[in-house]
Amino acid sequence: MNSTLRLAAAISLASLLPLSASAAESKGSVEVVHWWTSGGEKAAVDVLKAQVEKDGFTWKDGAVAGGGGATAMTVLKSRAVAGNPPGVAQIKGPDIQEWASTGLLDTDVLKNVAKEEKWDSLLDKKVADTVKYDGDYVAVPVNIHRINWLWINPEVFKKAGIDKAPTTLDEFYAAADKLKAAGFIPLAHGGQPWQDSTVFESVVLAVMGPEGYKKAMVDLDASALTGPEMVKSLTELMKVATYMDPDGKGQDWNLEAAKVINGKAGMQIMGDWAKSEWTLAKKTAGKDYQCVPFPGTDKAFLYNIDSLVVFKQKDEGTAAGQQDIAKQVLGQDFQKVFSVNKGSIPVRNDMLADMGKYGFDACAQTSAKDFLADAKTGGLQPSMAHNMATTLAVQGAFFDVVTNYINDPKADPADAAKKLAAAIKAAK
Ligand code: GAL
């Protein structure tokens, strides 16, 4: 063998060795597609990765950047069409049922784990039903996020002469005016469609209340979509938009959160994954920042349940890894550490009922208390902007109309409401 051939042989041997060594050590490999890529969210998902690796499995990270997950969903669809779906993927709400109806999700692999770990009694029926298809678990619920939050930098508020967090839309506008006058960005906001609609649905909740929200955003009732309360919601939305960061077009949510954390902006309307960035920056809830329900929505809770679905796999070795992930995800240790990092609250009933015991902060304790209380009054409603209320096609219709509307200051709210109803009708 000449020296070149010897080198080539050595290289190919060397490249094989680590692979075969890790294959021998690993109990199986699972690829997990998700969109938790901001600093704080990465810290949260790394907890799961470390646990799964500790259990002897190989975690293939399938992170797809892009808040709200639209890009991840596009990637997932093309992989499914190509016959190459990952073992596990972040999919939520009614979309889970749509995927399951294609036959691509595994209805067997979670059966034993769910039975042994007593998922039916650990979870609220509403939560369990979201991740079941025809009575079988096809996904594991990870956590619960609340959408209708307002994040405040109290130091900035003080500098602008604002002495309390707004509780009504009028107080919100008054605070925003003061922030503007004092030279701050009143409202940090990234102009991406899912972020526009996150603000929109909080405003709808404030104006129409939970019942009105349900009629328009969940039942998609045409008269609620075009009625005076929706027109008022769109009018208020346009006013809220006047306070948004002028440099926020196309900006990621976490970069906008950073502006509030760094004291450039006073407020952000965002789901409680925003807290993950505050936590990462070592800030304390109630002291360095305030979380309050979006003005006018303190008796309501727009929920968003993250969940990980299991896809059927050709390689049988993946099943053990899928089961390990599912088991870990609903364990008390993971439920605590993940939600502390992620800004959410656990999905387990026992933990929701006793948050102080698990060391959750003031924001998380309020969230759990409201989640349980609002479930009894009808105040608990699924988020449209975060895939919990409708199919992705209908959500796309909302996103288009809302984003076009807030980017056209001359747009007429009554006209936008009609466009909304028409776009939704076409997408249904
Ligand atoms: C949501 C998801 C959250 C968070 C957020 C920002 O749809 O449920 O976990 O990742 O998007 O990307």
Side-chain angles (χ1 to χ4, degrees), residues 91-98 130 305 307 386-390:
I91 298 181
K92 299 184 296 177
D95 212 21
I96 296 179
Q97 324 300 323
E98 289 218 343
T130 310
I305 303 167
S307 41
H386 295 277
N387 321 9
M388 301 306 298
T390 69

Side-chain angles (χ1 to χ4, degrees), residues 35-36 41 67-68 92 145 194 253 273 304 306 342 386:
W35 63 89
W36 294 322
E41 293 197 308
K92 299 184 296 177
H145 277 300
W194 72 271
W253 66 270
W273 49 88
N304 170 23
D306 281 317
K342 185 78 163 64
H386 295 277

Side-chain angles (χ1 to χ4, degrees), residues 241-312:
T242 62
Y243 296 104
M244 288 174 176
D245 179 7
D247 296 327
K249 291 274 167 289
Q251 195 69 272
D252 289 335
W253 66 270
N254 49 314
L255 300 181
E256 290 297 314
K259 294 184 185 174
V260 192
I261 298 171
N262 298 336
K264 290 201 175 82
M267 309 183 274
Q268 183 180 27
I269 302 163
M270 186 49 68
D272 44 16
W273 49 88
K275 202 174 87 179
S276 67
E277 297 303 301
W278 290 91
T279 306
L280 189 72
K282 307 247 173 309
K283 307 285 186 191
T284 307
K287 181 173 146 267
D288 305 313
Y289 65 98
Q290 262 185 294
C291 58
V292 292
F294 179 72
T297 70
D298 60 321
K299 299 271 180 304
F301 189 119
L302 287 187
Y303 69 87
N304 170 23
I305 303 167
D306 281 317
S307 41
L308 296 172
V309 306
V310 283
F311 276 94
K312 282 182 186 155

